[in-house]
Amino acid sequence: MEMSFRLNGKQVQAEVRPDMVLLDLVRELGCYSVKRGCETANCGLCTVWLDGKPVLSCSVLAMRAQGRHVTTLEGLQKEAEEFGMFLAAEGGEQCGFCSPGFIMNVLAMERELSDPTEEEIKEYLAGNLCRCSGYMSQLRAVRKYLEVKAQQKGGRE
């Protein structure tokens, strides 16, 4: 089936099978930050944004993107690099395999929640599994990043 959607701000057309998941489609289109980790919608590695909201692309049929906006880490390089600096400074990147999905959710959370508590941060990021870090360094990075972003927003208002 032929479909059309926006991928990282660019209109694309693709031929998809009825059973194809969004994860496979975006990887075929060159978005290799989106990874397959568990195939059970439990790890968060395949997180993309569908119309600005994080979804697990391993559990979304590709045809659901018809006429919609899909964003991967490749479409958020500036923002990802900015948060990545906080992650690296806190030692939270470890092997880096989980980082793309984790970063997608952190950036979505920063847009969606205003001044989240530590519990709200943990709840928002609960679906992102990391086998290396133990999460404390990642949590420190998220809190510092959100504090800086809040200060920057406060200075513009």
Side-chain angles (χ1 to χ4, degrees):
M1 297 184 292
E2 185 74 25
M3 67 173 289
S4 174
F5 66 104
R6 293 189 72 73
L7 178 60
N8 297 323
K10 296 179 181 169
Q11 191 68 32
V12 296
Q13 293 196 359
E15 184 70 29
V16 299
R17 299 177 317 279
D19 64 342
M20 182 179 227
V21 293
L22 188 56
L23 165 67
D24 293 329
L25 177 59
V26 297
R27 285 189 62 84
E28 278 185 12
L29 295 171
C31 297
Y32 300 118
S33 69
V34 185
K35 298 175 184 166
R36 178 174 272 103
C38 68
E39 296 193 45
T40 59
N42 286 312
C43 71
L45 269 69
C46 67
T47 301
V48 301
W49 293 355
L50 189 58
D51 294 334
K53 297 289 183 193
V55 298
L56 298 172
S57 63
C58 73
S59 63
V60 174
L61 289 173
M63 282 303 294
R64 295 285 312 266
Q66 171 65 35
R68 299 173 76 182
H69 297 262
V70 176
T71 307
T72 69
L73 198 62
E74 287 85 356
L76 297 168
Q77 288 182 345
K78 182 177 182 270
E79 296 95 330
E81 184 177 318
E82 183 179 6
F83 174 68
M85 300 298 274
F86 286 85
L87 200 57
E90 293 300 323
E93 80 285 1
Q94 300 291 315
C95 79
F97 191 69
C98 69
S99 295
F102 181 74
I103 291 170
M104 291 297 293
N105 275 311
V106 169
L107 297 177
M109 179 182 58
E110 189 265 324
R111 293 173 183 218
E112 188 176 324
L113 301 181
S114 177
D115 194 26
T117 65
E118 187 164 327
E119 282 307 309
E120 289 173 318
I121 293 169
K122 287 178 181 178
E123 184 177 326
Y124 200 99
L125 301 174
N128 291 95
L129 300 183
C130 175
R131 291 174 175 93
C132 298
S133 76
Y135 299 105
M136 293 313 296
S137 55
Q138 290 177 332
L139 186 57
R140 283 191 308 271
V142 170
R143 293 186 58 69
K144 288 179 180 181
Y145 172 75
L146 293 176
E147 287 170 10
V148 167
K149 295 305 277 184
Q151 290 171 354
Q152 289 173 349
K153 286 179 184 176
R156 286 183 276 189
E157 296 175 340

